[in-house]
Amino acid sequence: MRRVALVLLATSLLSVGVLAGPAGAGVDAKAKKSAKITDCKKDKNSAENIRAAFTPFFLGASSAEKLAGIADGDKLVAIIDESTAAANASGQGGSATTATYPVIVEVTCDGKTAATFKYDLALNQPRNLTTPPTKGAGLSFVGDAELVKGKWKVSGATLCDLVGANPATPTLGAKCLTALGS
């Protein structure tokens, strides 16, 4: 009897694995297809998608991680390294447990693949948030984003403006724009 119960248990576990495998794969494939964005006006989650592109800048450990969601980010590595060092020297580096998060307030489509967005910053938030903050510190910034291969990227100029607005790095904004070729 015990042997029969073990065989039944093993058979049921295998059938669950076999049935879940293809169904799960179909869901993943469908999710990947729906993740590509082709038109700003059709993106019902534009604020969330732009926030997702911008957040790594605030949470990334390396320049490459920080610039992953920034258009032309490869041109800004030296500036971001300099900006990070200056911010850390002024005590703005945060801690291992807190971080700053962008809060996208409003998105306006400027065409099929471009958008302008208003944003705020939520300061000193727990680093391991599972739900992004919905309110910021009351700061008012404006940025640009563009669709690149179906994903939002924040413009390098937006990042330069933010770096230049930081009291610890006021001269780096112009240097940043020069690095972009703007």
Side-chain angles (χ1 to χ4, degrees):
M1 181 70 174
R2 183 174 178 209
R3 185 175 278 180
V4 172
L6 287 174
V7 170
L8 287 174
L9 177 62
T11 304
S12 66
L13 288 175
L14 286 173
S15 67
V16 167
V18 169
L19 293 174
V27 171
D28 289 343
K30 195 178 223 181
K32 286 181 183 177
K33 284 184 182 180
S34 67
K36 187 171 182 177
I37 305 162
T38 58
D39 189 329
C40 179
K41 292 180 182 174
K42 292 181 181 177
D43 183 6
K44 298 192 184 315
N45 297 315
S46 59
E48 172 60 23
N49 292 330
I50 292 170
R51 185 207 54 78
F54 206 6
T55 298
F57 173 72
F58 299 95
L59 298 179
S62 68
S63 294
E65 290 173 3
K66 290 179 180 194
L67 296 169
I70 308 298
D72 294 322
D74 56 328
K75 296 178 181 179
L76 303 175
V77 172
I79 299 295
I80 296 311
D81 288 343
E82 189 176 346
S83 170
T84 301
N88 287 340
S90 72
Q92 293 179 358
S95 73
T97 59
T98 63
T100 296
Y101 289 86
V103 178
I104 308 302
V105 177
E106 179 183 320
V107 176
T108 304
C109 293
D110 297 331
K112 187 172 181 175
T113 61
T116 302
F117 62 98
K118 294 179 183 177
Y119 70 101
D120 194 355
L121 298 175
L123 309 170
N124 300 315
Q125 300 295 306
R127 185 171 280 279
N128 59 353
L129 287 177
T130 55
T131 303
T134 57
K135 286 190 148 198
L139 306 170
S140 181
F141 295 103
V142 176
D144 299 304
E146 61 186 81
L147 283 169
V148 178
K149 296 181 181 179
K151 299 280 185 188
W152 284 108
K153 291 227 175 210
V154 174
S155 74
T158 296
L159 189 59
C160 292
D161 291 344
L162 181 61
V163 168
N166 185 335
T169 59
T171 60
L172 289 181
K175 190 174 178 181
C176 182
L177 288 170
T178 300
L180 282 174
S182 300

